[in-house]
Amino acid sequence: MSTQTTASNASTAQPTLYTHAKRRFADAWLTPGVRQTTQLLLILTLFAGSAMGQTDVGNIYCNTAVEDGVNVVFGALAGLGLPATMVFVGRSGLSYMRASGNPNQQNEARRDLILSLVGLGVVVLAIVAPELITKFGDNVGFGFSDCVTPF
């Protein structure tokens, strides 16, 4: 008889444990973070499959408006961005040198100089980044098409 009571206790404990686990899983699934993470992973899986089938990423953009747009945007960035940031760096450097005694002017000129240097760094990084990404891709085993490499 003791064997039957142990078996009946085990059979009643299992549905309770299963129900508890099912309820905890449902509660965890209802949190926004878990749901958004799962959706993001599903979207990445969906789009990564088609990208992994290509040997050169970007071949579909050759001889299209996207290729022309990439060349125009990066050409404008290099042609206008570098001289503009150099002018702002020079102007803020001069204003920093002129504000020798006034701490408010020094702080404002220092802030402008730092922001100008950050802008210069962003422009230089935007120019150098495609080459770095291409080199990294060649080392990892995938390449980018020549038509979407701006420089």
Side-chain angles (χ1 to χ4, degrees), residues 88-96 107-119:
F88 284 117
V89 167
R91 189 185 72 164
S92 58
L94 284 174
S95 66
Y96 182 74
N107 289 338
E108 187 176 326
R110 183 181 299 126
R111 181 183 54 93
D112 289 344
L113 183 61
I114 289 170
L115 290 176
S116 299
L117 289 174
V118 167

Side-chain angles (χ1 to χ4, degrees), residues 110-139:
R110 183 181 299 126
R111 181 183 54 93
D112 289 344
L113 183 61
I114 289 170
L115 290 176
S116 299
L117 289 174
V118 167
L120 180 64
V122 167
V123 170
V124 169
L125 185 65
I127 292 171
V128 175
E131 186 66 28
L132 294 175
I133 292 171
T134 302
K135 296 285 184 189
F136 175 75
D138 290 341
N139 289 333

